[in-house]
Amino acid sequence: VWIVDITRNVLTRFTFDEAGENRAIWSDDGSQIIFGSVQLNSQGGLFQKASSGTGSDQQLLPAGEFGLVPQSWTSNGRYVLYLTATGTGRAAPDPTVPLLPDLWILPLFGERKPFPLMTTPFTEQQGVFSPDGRRIAVMGAIGPLPADGPPPVVGIFVMNADGSHVRQLTQLEPNSGTEDHQPTWSTDGGRIAF
């Protein structure tokens, strides 16, 4: 992971493990960064580090069988939304059915026990918390992944932060010929750009 100071046009290395790291996300106050890693000298997973670069990488959650990719962090710093392939799209033991990504939430307080936001036989990813942390917008497949043929159409969904009250926002007309990705909330939480 590297940090770019856009005012000074300076690139600074942030992580130094030889492993592959992915998707760094900032805390709301800019003091911390969470990133996913498959570290060679330790177990991979989700890690947190001061954005100043001081201190060591603190492992928040080990990766287990599948990698972890941070998606979004609530503005109050209490929850992290992350992506992992948990195998819910696969009818075990059939290895020909692809693993599909699922969204999980990691509390950063108490026991820090992760829980699923969405675990379906469909693809859902690119999750982002609303500014108040009460809702989540995601990109999701509309329908299952076919065994052969083109992938399903993807659209934007919004739900409560506990995964309840899922509502499809885009791709309401079948066969629109477009795909919707990367939902982003307005600062007041009233709109979603994608």
Side-chain angles (χ1 to χ4, degrees):
V1 175
W2 294 74
I3 296 176
V4 178
D5 182 334
I6 59 174
T7 58
R8 298 182 304 142
N9 197 28
V10 174
L11 183 66
T12 304
R13 188 167 182 178
F14 181 70
T15 59
F16 296 92
D17 196 280
E18 295 177 12
E21 281 114 8
N22 64 55
R23 178 107 181 164
I25 58 174
W26 293 81
S27 62
D28 197 54
D29 66 2
S31 67
Q32 299 287 316
I33 294 175
I34 290 179
F35 58 94
S37 179
V38 183
Q39 297 197 353
L40 302 176
N41 300 326
S42 64
Q43 189 175 15
L46 292 180
F47 290 82
Q48 181 174 342
K49 185 176 180 179
S51 61
S52 64
T54 60
S56 59
D57 303 347
Q58 174 194 358
Q59 187 179 51
L60 301 175
L61 185 65
E65 185 179 355
F66 304 107
L68 307 176
V69 181
Q71 301 283 292
S72 184
W73 197 345
T74 55
S75 60
N76 64 9
R78 294 178 56 86
Y79 297 95
V80 172
L81 182 65
Y82 67 93
L83 178 73
T84 187
T86 57
T88 56
R90 174 180 286 176
D94 184 356
T96 63
V97 177
L99 291 171
L100 299 176
D102 289 319
L103 293 169
W104 284 65
I105 295 177
L106 174 65
L108 296 180
F109 59 91
E111 294 180 28
R112 295 187 175 200
K113 183 177 179 182
F115 58 92
L117 173 68
M118 297 181 78
T119 54
T120 71
F122 311 118
T123 295
E124 58 271 339
Q125 53 189 307
Q126 301 172 3
V128 60
F129 283 106
S130 62
D132 65 6
R134 297 174 55 195
R135 294 175 293 163
I136 297 173
V138 304
M139 181 278 294
I142 301 168
L145 186 66
D148 57 359
V153 172
V154 294
I156 305 300
F157 295 78
V158 69
M159 67 199 68
N160 290 341
D162 65 1
S164 65
H165 302 289
V166 178
R167 187 168 52 113
Q168 184 177 340
L169 296 182
T170 68
Q171 299 296 342
L172 301 175
E173 296 294 323
N175 303 317
S176 68
T178 63
E179 291 190 355
D180 303 325
H181 295 270
Q182 300 295 339
T184 304
W185 292 89
S186 62
T187 55
D188 66 1
R191 294 180 183 203
I192 297 173
F194 55 93

